[in-house]
Amino acid sequence: MSTTDKSPLSDAPASTKVATLARLAAWLVRGVGWFAVGSLLAGLGAWWVLFGGWPTHGFAQLLAVGLGGLLLLPAAVLALFYQGLRDLMALPERIRNQIETDKDAAADTARAMMPEKKGRKKGSRLWRFVKGIWALRTAIMESKGLLIRYGAMIRFVNPWSMLAVLAATAATVVLGAFALVGGMLRLLLG
């Protein structure tokens, strides 16, 4: 590899690389969030261009509701993708917190099995043990819930869902252009 092929981060320490990647990921998540809001506005704008207001006849109202749902579908897909990205960004912190909770519950359980010291508060050793086991059980159940949740999220990230996000992105661009041009024409022609 020549010196011109190196990126600016190739010689940086690992902590700098991680911080840079975290900033880029946060920027990406914010961008997807704003794009989802833009998709919502584009869908509403396209609906306004087509109908101009709420229709008065029964079939036209049904058509307006159905078409409104289709026009807002890209915004819904992008909003779900945004939420998935936010959950993915929060995953390391949640895992770290869960590990601390599990460690504390295991320490409490181990402490309950230790013989009592003279200065310690008197209490039933069996009761402390049961409380420690219950805390450990709660921590394990929370860990299981965390793993199931993120396992389901990882299954959601597949080629079909990525294709849906790309289709929603393309639909947003088309809807935005249609809403912009149609809105200007509707305002000019009146």
Side-chain angles (χ1 to χ4, degrees):
M1 182 192 293
S2 69
T3 57
T4 58
D5 293 341
K6 284 188 172 184
S7 71
L9 285 177
S10 62
D11 291 331
S15 62
T16 304
K17 291 177 184 178
V18 169
T20 302
L21 287 174
R23 277 194 311 274
L24 290 173
W27 178 81
L28 173 71
V29 171
R30 274 194 309 275
V32 169
W34 283 109
F35 197 70
V37 170
S39 180
L40 176 69
L41 293 175
L44 291 174
W47 189 88
W48 178 76
V49 166
L50 292 173
F51 293 100
W54 189 250
T56 57
H57 301 294
F59 180 72
Q61 289 175 345
L62 185 62
L63 182 67
V65 168
L67 194 56
L70 284 175
L71 292 173
L72 296 178
L73 186 61
V77 169
L78 290 171
L80 286 173
F81 183 63
Y82 168 71
Q83 186 60 41
L85 285 177
R86 285 189 52 198
D87 283 348
L88 192 60
M89 289 284 294
L91 180 61
E93 186 64 31
R94 287 182 182 159
I95 288 174
R96 188 177 313 119
N97 291 341
Q98 191 60 48
I99 288 172
E100 288 296 320
T101 302
D102 293 349
K103 188 173 72 174
D104 292 344
D108 289 344
T109 304
R111 242 182 270 119
M113 292 303 295
M114 295 174 71
E116 291 185 25
K117 294 182 182 174
K118 291 190 181 210
R120 250 170 113 174
K121 183 176 129 179
K122 299 279 184 186
S124 169
R125 186 173 178 182
L126 179 63
W127 177 245
R128 285 187 322 205
F129 179 70
V130 169
K131 281 181 18 182
I133 292 293
W134 188 259
L136 189 59
R137 176 216 166 265
T138 304
I140 289 171
M141 293 304 286
E142 288 173 1
S143 296
K144 180 182 169 189
L146 189 69
L147 290 175
I148 288 172
R149 178 179 177 190
Y150 286 106
M153 186 180 73
I154 288 171
R155 259 187 271 135
F156 175 71
V157 179
N158 59 42
W160 295 109
S161 64
M162 292 292 106
L163 187 62
V165 169
L166 290 175
T169 301
T172 296
V173 171
V174 170
L175 284 174
F178 176 74
L180 185 65
V181 171
M184 286 208 258
L185 288 175
R186 189 173 184 91
L187 289 175
L188 288 176
L189 299 176

